[in-house]
Amino acid sequence: GIQVEQSPPDLILQEGANSTLRCNFSDSVNNLQWFHQNPWGQLINLFYIPSGTKQNGRLSATTVATERYSLLYISSSQTTDSGVYFCAVEGRRRGSTLGRLYFGRGTQLTVWP
Amino acid sequence: DGGITQSPKYLFRKEGQNVTLSCEQNLNHDAMYWYRQDPGQGLRLIYYSQIVNDFQKGDIAEGYSVSREKKESFPLTVTSAQKNPTAFYLCASTLGTRSTDTQYFGPGTRLTVL
């Protein structure tokens, strides 16, 4: 399957700071999604972004498919942004299973007041 | 409210026992998935089902079994053959299997083997 690497593994910020999370993937993709897992374990989809740029409030994401990476930007971070951010991809090559996502190990974000 | 429910939230099991984790969705989604998450790790796919009465093994299916008799239900059985079952288990679903379909997750079940 596709390899997904996320960096940094851990990030500690003061409230109000900005941050950039990175996701590198090893092959062409049909689908790339960013998720946030809160401290209680619930995962919420943030973006579907196989290419291009999207914004949703203080969060934005950019995927450069030709260079096989995606970035998640968090501006003016808040304590409620704490948790783990996962990148997940679906392969494009023939033989890839539609709908099957491969997850990275995540970035653990802690925002202090 | 539409969504995915998992039960129980916490589960304790003695070694050698089988245990079944429930996953129900009322989103009318065709596809359902089971993932395992260990501390500091990403999600690993155990089994998935794209349609009723059909399911496929994921990357770590050994020691697990599933059924998909109804569209809304996808229970996971952790058998005694699973060597290290203590983990956080997440169920997810998608409308279909198109690349544009986003995955929706349940709240998870934390399984601890005593």
Side-chain angles (χ1 to χ4, degrees):
Chain A
I2 294 182
Q3 304 302 309
V4 182
E5 295 184 0
Q6 292 186 243
S7 60
D10 297 281
L11 189 56
I12 300 174
L13 301 173
Q14 191 109 34
E15 205 168 26
N18 302 330
S19 60
T20 301
L21 284 59
R22 187 178 179 102
C23 171
N24 292 332
F25 43 94
S26 61
D27 209 341
S28 303
V29 298
N30 282 328
N31 182 352
L32 187 147
Q33 297 181 33
W34 282 97
F35 294 88
H36 174 233
Q37 184 174 40
N38 68 21
W40 297 271
Q42 179 72 55
L43 271 93
I44 301 295
N45 180 278
L46 298 174
F47 292 104
Y48 162 77
I49 186 165
S51 64
T53 298
K54 288 186 178 179
Q55 180 154 7
N56 184 5
R58 295 181 297 103
L59 274 59
S60 63
T62 295
T63 298
V64 183
T66 53
E67 297 187 22
R68 299 182 184 170
Y69 73 88
S70 182
L71 302 174
L72 178 68
Y73 305 97
I74 304 174
S75 64
S76 303
S77 57
Q78 300 175 359
T79 56
T80 53
D81 295 331
S82 296
V84 185
Y85 290 80
F86 288 104
C87 169
V89 303
E90 172 195 318
R92 174 179 289 180
R93 289 198 185 277
R94 183 174 298 189
S96 296
T97 301
L98 290 177
R100 176 174 173 165
L101 294 177
Y102 290 88
F103 283 76
R105 293 193 170 198
T107 292
Q108 172 77 58
L109 174 65
T110 303
V111 181
W112 294 99
Chain B
D1 285 357
I4 302 175
T5 57
Q6 291 185 241
S7 61
K9 189 170 184 176
Y10 298 94
L11 188 56
F12 297 90
R13 189 195 91 175
K14 292 182 179 180
E15 280 193 30
Q17 288 181 336
N18 293 353
V19 63
T20 297
L21 283 58
S22 168
C23 177
E24 304 278 332
Q25 53 97 0
N26 61 4
L27 300 167
N28 200 33
H29 284 180
D30 284 326
M32 298 185 74
Y33 310 81
W34 273 107
Y35 293 93
R36 170 180 171 141
Q37 185 179 20
D38 294 284
Q41 303 292 315
L43 279 65
R44 292 184 291 168
L45 184 65
I46 305 172
Y47 269 98
Y48 62 99
S49 168
Q50 297 179 328
I51 197 169
V52 175
N53 291 322
D54 186 52
F55 47 83
Q56 307 296 328
K57 292 182 179 180
D59 296 322
I60 55 167
E62 185 176 351
Y64 299 97
S65 66
V66 293
S67 63
R68 187 86 188 278
E69 296 177 2
K70 298 186 295 183
K71 186 175 184 178
E72 59 269 25
S73 179
F74 191 39
L76 173 74
T77 297
V78 184
T79 75
S80 56
Q82 169 51 234
K83 299 303 180 188
N84 186 20
T86 294
F88 187 49
Y89 290 88
L90 287 156
C91 178
S93 70
T94 54
L95 181 61
T97 55
R98 295 169 302 180
S99 298
T100 52
D101 290 333
T102 58
Q103 289 204 3
Y104 294 85
F105 282 84
T109 292
R110 292 192 185 276
L111 173 63
T112 302
V113 174
L114 303 173

